[in-house]
């Protein structure tokens, strides 16, 4: 696949995707609905077959959930079954060339015309072209389009519209639809990301998704009772990303750890055979903390998904209290976890030396998939600043002695001045408490300097911007505190064998101590930890690395990734690294001829010229 | 180019390369020699045309220097002019499938047969196949091959051999030569990296490079008087990497800073227009420190190149004293600078949001080029451990009161217990001294715990491995101390206008303070810096960010990269980001037809199935 041209890759991807999705379609037809557990299996098969992205995926990931969440029953009757059955295939068109995370800035317009009872969609500028939606280029024939609504000459804000893009029989773009794909990318090259412009595209009134806000026949606008309800889908996707990136990170760790058990290099002691590179402490230090991190992300993702499910069912009952906390959590953890997973995957790649640079290791693609998640569904820095805004509000509540939501309750300590770690004894509980203390003190510090700036006459907006480096850092510290606390809680709750629990406790300790040491400045500044405590923790971390060494391969084998899903010359179960590298190279089309024709056409004339 | 298949990319690259190299060839023919300043210009043209790598480059970068450095005058007469004139084209084949940085582990053998006066080359195992050399796949017809020499039945160590790989007329591989290319990679996909195996390949005795060690006709082996002389070439390449990566980082900064001055997003104050994203403090915090880093790397690279030139000319006079220091410096700074440049380029990419993920931004390729340098010419962790070995020796010298070489003289402070920063006053001199103090204390700490382990009965080798995480960290701290000291010295020495010096001083201060803050744990542990000092430095850093803001675009314009060399839709001089993105997408072959044929072949049958 890597040897094909951009166009050939797309065509080959569609061919493969149609085989798998036909199976999915038949399965759904058989049951008449979506069976989550069976879908999960087929999704992992799809990921293994379409490893650099899937042009059909937004139909499942966005189109169907958005129809369920935002369309009226009447609208659902029109579209839902058709999308579930893959009679039509859709995407979600929000991001534009000129605007991403800042949704209010989108420029696509939808003007309502009561005389025809239609919306007229337009892309008034170059920057208003939709840009990025998966499958939009050549694949999908429908899209949910996000646009600025105007009715009765009044601006009504952002709304969603179902738009047919292509003729269902011929696939030709409909009149006024300008569509294409955006070109090659760092990764996800088989997603067929596209662009989309509108030139006076007319759609029926019934094509605005009207579960909440409505436009009546005469153009009267009925506002949603709560605008936040419309953002549930985005929160859910952010929450889902934790599971996605923890799995991708686990794959990268599997590849790097298996390879490190096969690769032998250098000599540790004169005359002895070359050791497995996994025996080098520096290699363990690169890989094991991220192996531990994959568990931290997995446990935290599961916990957050539970909260998300609870909050969404509360929403159905009209209870909105926990929505802001969920929003802040999803922003914060999406940002912190994707950054950590990306660093982890890249560290795994580099730990495999030159061979990690080869596409056939699959490590570059895994990094490409993870790092994309640092940007999509909300750019990480923007999300951290949204988290910080929540934390600043929570801080005011703490100062005011008000009740706190669970995940920020720890802020009260910093207000009362009571010390979370009165004496540093280095226990797991002490470390969890220290992470919270660091986060709380950083929140307090940010609030203090922002307050000081405002007192000095700086406008609140400028003070916010001037303090934003600290604000991002306090949101990150908050995220780390949650990850550490959740990992500790998850291991405590697990009902597993003593042997397994021992290993999980080692991973937990490694994760917490490694994360602490990487941010040692914070702990030396804001907790009772002394330089001597630091050295003791460093010792403990090194002991943990050697304790985990004998089980490292067993742990990644335990992920139970099939070789076809790992899809790596370096990371297969049988450890036949070098044979697989050779076999992969032998597939290069350049190796089919002993002499490439460019020799005769270009190289020989150059070498022989001027003799 | 990004849209082509792997094979097409190669063929197109050779076509372009032949045009440029023909010019180079004519230029050299005209003067009869290599004119460095003219070559520098043509090299930058080559880089702009062959932006994802050049299959001809190792002829210049390795083949010619190795012939000059390692071949006898008689051998030079055979090959040098032919390679300079591009009558033949060569590569350097050292790395094997199973061995990289650990050269002693290479498995390719060269057995001398006095009856025919030939060496017989063999690849005894799969892992002994040469793997990675640039241009080796389908391009070059000669290679310098690194192999284990045996004569008179005795093993003689690693030596270099000139080997013809392909017939000069037909380009067919010679008998016993098994050759091909290794497949697709994260980046550098136009380098045509290859593999190479030998099956009883006979080469004349005169083809061993014999400037130092020699094999006589009867197989007698004359050992080089100093084996280290053979490694000069590798040191020079490592030193050169600093300039390469500082330039690549400067390109990435140029793209990201120009884009950030064009891109507008969100609202800072209600009702005001969307600001340039470069006005966000968080964006400045991402980009400006790496802009400063590109200067740190540039100044340090220039200084190191001067030392390298001096030491090499001393070598010619038989003086070897400064070789170990140069070796340690080149290892340490190659590792620290490539890691920093890679982080910087990736930070620049992420700071451009989704558009940074597009290949047409050129940011993924720049990262691909830089991160490769973290692995090639010595894997960074291995190099840092070599540096640490030097530092441990230097520490023993310092403890023993012996004379110290200049770049480690600062270690004496830590021995005498005298404090480099008796009171923290935050001046530039104080900060430089603090970096040295941190490095010295870390060296002392590593030496102490290693000594302690040995005292407890651990073998020196195991103690080394157990301490290797700290050893790597002390080598990194040493590298940072040098970078900071060199940046300060370079700005002090520059004879430029007051205005320019002011800006350079801001960049210097930003670099030093940012680097300090990122490693604040070290400074809180090992210097007199207090948490209050930390906060003051954070304030100073933020002031520097706002001071640099008005000049940021001017500084990157000052790099004077031509648009064709930047090769980025986001980073061109005119700031026409969105037009260029659109123009790039319109070149996608997928956009040439309104309906891709895969619709009729695969997609429509799937959508219509089961209806």
């Amino acid at each position: 696949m890597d040897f094909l041209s951009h166009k050939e890759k797309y065509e080959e991807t569609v061919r493969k995707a149609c085989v798998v999705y036909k199976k999915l379609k038949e399965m759904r037809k058989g049951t008449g609905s979506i069976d989550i557990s069976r879908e999960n299996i087929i999704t992992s098969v799809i990921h293994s077959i379409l490893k650099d992205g899937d042009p059909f995926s937004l139909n499942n990931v966005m189109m169907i959930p958005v129809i369920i969440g935002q369309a009226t029953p009447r609208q659902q009757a029109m579209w839902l079954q058709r999308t579930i059955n893959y009679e039509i295939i859709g995407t979600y068109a929000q991001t534009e060339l000129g605007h991403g995370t800042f949704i209010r800035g989108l420029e696509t317009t939808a003007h309502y015309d009561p005389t025809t009872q239609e919306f007229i969609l337009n892309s008034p500028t170059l920057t208003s072209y939709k840009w990025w939606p998966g499958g939009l280029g050549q694949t999908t024939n429908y899209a949910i389009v996000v646009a600025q609504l105007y009715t009765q000459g009044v601006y009504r804000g952002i709304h969603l519209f179902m738009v047919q893009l292509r003729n269902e029989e011929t696939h030709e773009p409909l009149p006024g639809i300008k569509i294409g794909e955006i070109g090659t990318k760092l990764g996800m090259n088989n997603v067929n990301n596209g662009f989309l412009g509108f030139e006076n595209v007319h759609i029926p009134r019934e094509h605005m998704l009207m579960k909440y806000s409505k436009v009546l026949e005469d153009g009267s606008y009925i506002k949603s009772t709560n605008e936040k309800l419309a953002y549930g889908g985005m929160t859910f996707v952010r929450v889902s990303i934790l599971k996605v990136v923890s799995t991708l990170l686990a794959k990268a760790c599997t590849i790097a750890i298996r390879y490190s058990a096969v690769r032998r290099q250098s000599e540790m002691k004169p005359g002895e055979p070359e050791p497995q590179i996994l025996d080098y402490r520096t290699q363990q230090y690169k890989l094991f903390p991220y192996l531990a991190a994959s568990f931290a992300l997995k446990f935290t993702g599961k916990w957050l998904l539970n909260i998300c499910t609870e909050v969404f069912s509360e929403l159905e009952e009209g209870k909105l209290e926990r929505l802001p906390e969920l929003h802040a959590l999803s922003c914060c953890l999406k940002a912190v976890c994707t950054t950590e997973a990306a660093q982890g995957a890249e560290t795994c790649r580099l730990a495999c030396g030159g061979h990690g640079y080869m596409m056939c290791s699959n490590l570059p693609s895994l990094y490409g998939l993870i790092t994309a998640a640092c940007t999509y569904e909300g750019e990480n820095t923007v999300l951290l600043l949204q988290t910080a805004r929540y934390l600043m509000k929570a801080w005011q509540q703490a100062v005011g002695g008000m009740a706190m939501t669970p995940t920020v309750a720890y802020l009260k300590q910093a207000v009362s001045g009571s010390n979370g770690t009165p004496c540093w004894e280095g226990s797991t509980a002490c470390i969890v408490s220290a992470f919270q203390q660091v986060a709380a003190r950083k929140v307090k510090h940010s609030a203090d300097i922002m307050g000081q700036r405002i007192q000095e006459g700086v406008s609140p907006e400028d003070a916010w911007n001037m303090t934003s480096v600290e604000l991002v850092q306090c949101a990150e510290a908050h995220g780390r505190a949650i990850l550490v606390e959740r990992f500790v809680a998850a291991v405590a709750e697990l009902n597993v064998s003593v042997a397994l629990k021992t290993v999980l406790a080692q991973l937990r300790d490694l994760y917490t101590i490694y994360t602490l040491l990487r941010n040692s400045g914070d702990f030396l500044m804001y907790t009772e930890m002394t330089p001597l405590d630091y050295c003791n923790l460093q010792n403990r971390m090194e002991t943990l690395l050697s304790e985990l060494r004998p089980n490292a391969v067993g742990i990644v084998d335990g992920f139970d990734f099939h070789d076809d899903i790992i899809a790596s010359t370096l990371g297969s179960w049988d450890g036949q690294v070098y044979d697989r590298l050779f076999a992969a190279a032998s597939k290069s089309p350049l190796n089919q001829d002993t002499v490439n024709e460019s020799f005769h056409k270009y190289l020989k004339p150059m070498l022989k010229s001027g003799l």
Side-chain angles (χ1 to χ4, degrees), chain A residues 238 265 435:
Chain A
R238 276 184 202 140
Q265 203 74 187
F435 270 94

Side-chain angles (χ1 to χ4, degrees), chain A residues 204-351:
Chain A
R205 186 182 65 88
E206 292 78 15
H207 280 214
M208 180 175 120
L209 301 194
M210 298 210 210
K211 182 165 175 183
Y212 299 109
S213 302
K214 291 177 177 51
V215 172
L216 304 184
E217 294 182 0
D218 66 349
S220 310
Y221 177 73
I222 300 172
K223 200 176 170 183
S224 165
T225 49
N226 191 318
E227 291 188 1
K228 284 179 180 155
L229 294 175
Y231 295 106
M234 204 147 187
T235 300
F236 181 75
V237 174
R238 276 184 202 140
V239 169
S240 311
I241 287 173
L242 267 66
K243 188 185 170 189
V244 172
V245 297
S246 81
T247 305
L248 292 170
L249 177 58
K251 286 183 191 175
C253 291
T254 302
I255 296 167
I257 287 173
R258 285 180 174 170
Y259 175 68
S260 301
V262 172
R263 180 77 167 183
R264 292 174 175 274
Q265 203 74 187
S266 201
E267 54 180 25
M268 216 177 284
K269 295 182 185 176
E272 288 193 1
E274 295 182 84
Q276 294 158 289
I277 58 174
L278 198 54
D279 286 331
Y280 288 102
R281 184 58 51 86
T282 49
Q283 189 77 350
Q284 297 163 6
Y285 179 70
K286 287 176 191 175
L287 301 180
F288 296 170
Y290 286 109
L291 176 63
S294 78
F295 285 90
L297 269 52
K298 189 188 178 73
F299 289 133
T300 306
K302 204 172 167 189
W303 166 80
L304 185 59
L305 187 61
N306 283 341
I307 293 182
C308 188
T309 312
E310 285 169 24
V311 173
F312 281 11
S313 62
E314 288 171 13
L315 284 186
E316 296 291 320
E317 302 162 23
K319 291 193 219 162
L320 306 172
E321 293 78 13
R322 292 171 70 190
L323 205 54
E325 185 178 34
L326 172 63
H327 175 72
L329 276 176
S330 71
C331 290
C332 179
L333 290 171
K334 183 273 196 186
V336 172
C337 293
T338 53
T339 299
E340 194 158 310
Q343 284 171 353
E346 195 60 352
T347 303
C348 288
R349 183 186 68 71
L350 285 161

Side-chain angles (χ1 to χ4, degrees), chain A residues 25 29 81-89 141 168:
Chain A
K25 188 170 172 163
K29 276 261 173 185
Q81 210 56 47
R82 295 197 78 204
T83 57
I84 288 177
N85 292 350
Y86 280 94
E87 294 166 28
I88 60 175
I89 182 162
N141 49 15
E168 289 186 31

Side-chain angles (χ1 to χ4, degrees), chain A residues 538-550:
Chain A
Q538 176 105 13
N539 271 338
R540 268 180 67 192
M541 186 195 67
E542 292 174 3
T543 305
L544 285 164
L545 293 177
S546 65
E547 285 171 354
L548 280 163
R549 166 65 185 92

Side-chain angles (χ1 to χ4, degrees), chain A residues 395-404 412 415:
Chain A
W395 176 250
Q396 295 311 326
Q397 291 170 345
V399 170
M402 294 161 72
M404 308 288 288
K412 284 188 169 177
V415 173

